[in-house]
PDB file of all heavy atoms in Angstrom:
ATOM      1  N   PHE A 231      89.170  93.833  80.282  1.00  0.00           N
ATOM      2  CA  PHE A 231      89.201  95.184  79.762  1.00  0.00           C
ATOM      3  C   PHE A 231      90.330  95.339  78.705  1.00  0.00           C
ATOM      4  O   PHE A 231      90.154  96.025  77.667  1.00  0.00           O
ATOM      5  CB  PHE A 231      89.265  96.224  80.890  1.00  0.00           C
ATOM      6  CG  PHE A 231      88.807  97.631  80.511  1.00  0.00           C
ATOM      7  CD1 PHE A 231      87.657  97.874  80.386  1.00  0.00           C
ATOM      8  CD2 PHE A 231      89.874  98.498  80.341  1.00  0.00           C
ATOM      9  CE1 PHE A 231      87.248  99.245  79.997  1.00  0.00           C
ATOM     10  CE2 PHE A 231      89.574  99.822  79.872  1.00  0.00           C
ATOM     11  CZ  PHE A 231      88.329 100.186  79.822  1.00  0.00           C
ATOM     12  N   ALA A 232      91.503  94.920  79.087  1.00  0.00           N
ATOM     13  CA  ALA A 232      92.709  95.268  78.295  1.00  0.00           C
ATOM     14  C   ALA A 232      92.787  94.313  77.102  1.00  0.00           C
ATOM     15  O   ALA A 232      93.354  94.654  76.085  1.00  0.00           O
ATOM     16  CB  ALA A 232      93.928  95.263  78.992  1.00  0.00           C
ATOM     17  N   MET A 233      92.371  93.118  77.145  1.00  0.00           N
ATOM     18  CA  MET A 233      92.486  92.150  76.066  1.00  0.00           C
ATOM     19  C   MET A 233      91.412  92.163  75.024  1.00  0.00           C
ATOM     20  O   MET A 233      91.692  92.045  73.841  1.00  0.00           O
ATOM     21  CB  MET A 233      92.673  90.739  76.610  1.00  0.00           C
ATOM     22  CG  MET A 233      94.063  90.460  77.139  1.00  0.00           C
ATOM     23  SD  MET A 233      94.198  88.814  77.807  1.00  0.00           S
ATOM     24  CE  MET A 233      94.547  87.852  76.318  1.00  0.00           C
ATOM     25  N   THR A 234      90.160  92.203  75.468  1.00  0.00           N
ATOM     26  CA  THR A 234      89.043  92.171  74.527  1.00  0.00           C
ATOM     27  C   THR A 234      87.986  93.270  74.619  1.00  0.00           C
ATOM     28  O   THR A 234      87.209  93.481  73.759  1.00  0.00           O
ATOM     29  CB  THR A 234      88.226  90.841  74.539  1.00  0.00           C
ATOM     30  OG1 THR A 234      87.729  90.776  75.963  1.00  0.00           O
ATOM     31  CG2 THR A 234      89.089  89.624  74.371  1.00  0.00           C
ATOM     32  N   GLY A 235      88.083  93.909  75.741  1.00  0.00           N
ATOM     33  CA  GLY A 235      87.009  95.008  76.050  1.00  0.00           C
ATOM     34  C   GLY A 235      85.600  94.406  76.056  1.00  0.00           C
ATOM     35  O   GLY A 235      84.617  95.028  75.887  1.00  0.00           O
ATOM     36  N   GLY A 236      85.498  93.096  76.365  1.00  0.00           N
ATOM     37  CA  GLY A 236      84.226  92.320  76.372  1.00  0.00           C
ATOM     38  C   GLY A 236      83.756  91.825  75.179  1.00  0.00           C
ATOM     39  O   GLY A 236      82.873  91.035  75.110  1.00  0.00           O
ATOM     40  N   GLY A 237      84.432  92.174  74.004  1.00  0.00           N
ATOM     41  CA  GLY A 237      84.041  91.630  72.625  1.00  0.00           C
ATOM     42  C   GLY A 237      84.563  90.257  72.421  1.00  0.00           C
ATOM     43  O   GLY A 237      85.297  89.734  73.361  1.00  0.00           O
ATOM     44  N   PRO A 238      84.484  89.727  71.253  1.00  0.00           N
ATOM     45  CA  PRO A 238      83.561  90.180  70.207  1.00  0.00           C
ATOM     46  C   PRO A 238      82.086  89.819  70.545  1.00  0.00           C
ATOM     47  O   PRO A 238      81.779  88.706  71.144  1.00  0.00           O
ATOM     48  CB  PRO A 238      84.037  89.327  69.085  1.00  0.00           C
ATOM     49  CG  PRO A 238      84.716  88.148  69.614  1.00  0.00           C
ATOM     50  CD  PRO A 238      85.244  88.554  70.920  1.00  0.00           C
ATOM     51  N   ASN A 239      81.325  90.784  70.219  1.00  0.00           N
ATOM     52  CA  ASN A 239      79.875  90.555  70.334  1.00  0.00           C
ATOM     53  C   ASN A 239      79.438  90.116  71.812  1.00  0.00           C
ATOM     54  O   ASN A 239      78.706  89.244  72.046  1.00  0.00           O
ATOM     55  CB  ASN A 239      79.374  89.476  69.430  1.00  0.00           C
ATOM     56  CG  ASN A 239      77.874  89.390  69.207  1.00  0.00           C
ATOM     57  OD1 ASN A 239      77.233  90.346  69.668  1.00  0.00           O
ATOM     58  ND2 ASN A 239      77.474  88.453  68.537  1.00  0.00           N
ATOM     59  N   ASN A 240      80.063  90.916  72.867  1.00  0.00           N
ATOM     60  CA  ASN A 240      79.753  90.644  74.258  1.00  0.00           C
ATOM     61  C   ASN A 240      80.100  89.264  74.728  1.00  0.00           C
ATOM     62  O   ASN A 240      79.713  88.818  75.836  1.00  0.00           O
ATOM     63  CB  ASN A 240      78.356  90.808  74.576  1.00  0.00           C
ATOM     64  CG  ASN A 240      77.871  92.286  74.381  1.00  0.00           C
ATOM     65  OD1 ASN A 240      78.587  93.120  74.722  1.00  0.00           O
ATOM     66  ND2 ASN A 240      76.786  92.520  73.770  1.00  0.00           N
ATOM     67  N   SER A 241      80.919  88.476  73.911  1.00  0.00           N
ATOM     68  CA  SER A 241      81.194  86.996  74.361  1.00  0.00           C
ATOM     69  C   SER A 241      82.094  87.042  75.455  1.00  0.00           C
ATOM     70  O   SER A 241      82.217  85.994  76.017  1.00  0.00           O
ATOM     71  CB  SER A 241      81.674  86.271  73.112  1.00  0.00           C
ATOM     72  OG  SER A 241      82.898  86.851  72.767  1.00  0.00           O
ATOM     73  N   THR A 242      83.005  88.024  75.795  1.00  0.00           N
ATOM     74  CA  THR A 242      83.806  87.923  76.930  1.00  0.00           C
ATOM     75  C   THR A 242      83.443  89.053  77.968  1.00  0.00           C
ATOM     76  O   THR A 242      84.149  89.280  78.882  1.00  0.00           O
ATOM     77  CB  THR A 242      85.212  88.294  76.494  1.00  0.00           C
ATOM     78  OG1 THR A 242      85.398  89.548  75.867  1.00  0.00           O
ATOM     79  CG2 THR A 242      85.798  87.158  75.560  1.00  0.00           C
ATOM     80  N   GLU A 243      82.172  89.556  77.810  1.00  0.00           N
ATOM     81  CA  GLU A 243      81.812  90.593  78.843  1.00  0.00           C
ATOM     82  C   GLU A 243      81.488  89.795  80.112  1.00  0.00           C
ATOM     83  O   GLU A 243      80.799  88.994  80.132  1.00  0.00           O
ATOM     84  CB  GLU A 243      80.527  91.215  78.307  1.00  0.00           C
ATOM     85  CG  GLU A 243      80.150  92.488  79.068  1.00  0.00           C
ATOM     86  CD  GLU A 243      80.773  93.749  78.558  1.00  0.00           C
ATOM     87  OE1 GLU A 243      80.383  94.259  77.503  1.00  0.00           O
ATOM     88  OE2 GLU A 243      81.778  94.124  79.177  1.00  0.00           O
ATOM     89  N   ILE A 244      82.148  90.295  81.304  1.00  0.00           N
ATOM     90  CA  ILE A 244      81.952  89.753  82.428  1.00  0.00           C
ATOM     91  C   ILE A 244      81.303  90.810  83.429  1.00  0.00           C
ATOM     92  O   ILE A 244      81.191  91.955  82.923  1.00  0.00           O
ATOM     93  CB  ILE A 244      83.168  89.129  83.262  1.00  0.00           C
ATOM     94  CG1 ILE A 244      84.165  90.155  83.501  1.00  0.00           C
ATOM     95  CG2 ILE A 244      83.794  87.962  82.440  1.00  0.00           C
ATOM     96  CD1 ILE A 244      85.356  89.725  84.315  1.00  0.00           C
ATOM     97  N   VAL A 245      80.716  90.533  84.576  1.00  0.00           N
ATOM     98  CA  VAL A 245      79.919  91.380  85.278  1.00  0.00           C
ATOM     99  C   VAL A 245      80.697  92.659  85.614  1.00  0.00           C
ATOM    100  O   VAL A 245      80.182  93.809  85.396  1.00  0.00           O
ATOM    101  CB  VAL A 245      79.437  90.703  86.632  1.00  0.00           C
ATOM    102  CG1 VAL A 245      78.515  91.743  87.378  1.00  0.00           C
ATOM    103  CG2 VAL A 245      78.598  89.498  86.361  1.00  0.00           C
ATOM    104  N   ALA A 246      81.975  92.543  85.903  1.00  0.00           N
ATOM    105  CA  ALA A 246      82.860  93.707  86.385  1.00  0.00           C
ATOM    106  C   ALA A 246      82.904  94.671  85.262  1.00  0.00           C
ATOM    107  O   ALA A 246      82.828  95.883  85.367  1.00  0.00           O
ATOM    108  CB  ALA A 246      84.096  93.268  86.923  1.00  0.00           C
ATOM    109  N   THR A 247      83.146  94.114  83.969  1.00  0.00           N
ATOM    110  CA  THR A 247      83.429  95.007  82.833  1.00  0.00           C
ATOM    111  C   THR A 247      81.988  95.642  82.320  1.00  0.00           C
ATOM    112  O   THR A 247      81.932  96.742  81.875  1.00  0.00           O
ATOM    113  CB  THR A 247      84.059  94.355  81.538  1.00  0.00           C
ATOM    114  OG1 THR A 247      83.301  93.217  81.315  1.00  0.00           O
ATOM    115  CG2 THR A 247      85.449  93.866  81.927  1.00  0.00           C
TER     116      THR A 247
END
Side-chain angles (χ1 to χ4, degrees):
Chain A
F231 191 80
M233 279 179 85
T234 62
N239 198 10
N240 296 318
S241 65
T242 58
E243 194 83 81
I244 60 171
V245 182
T247 55

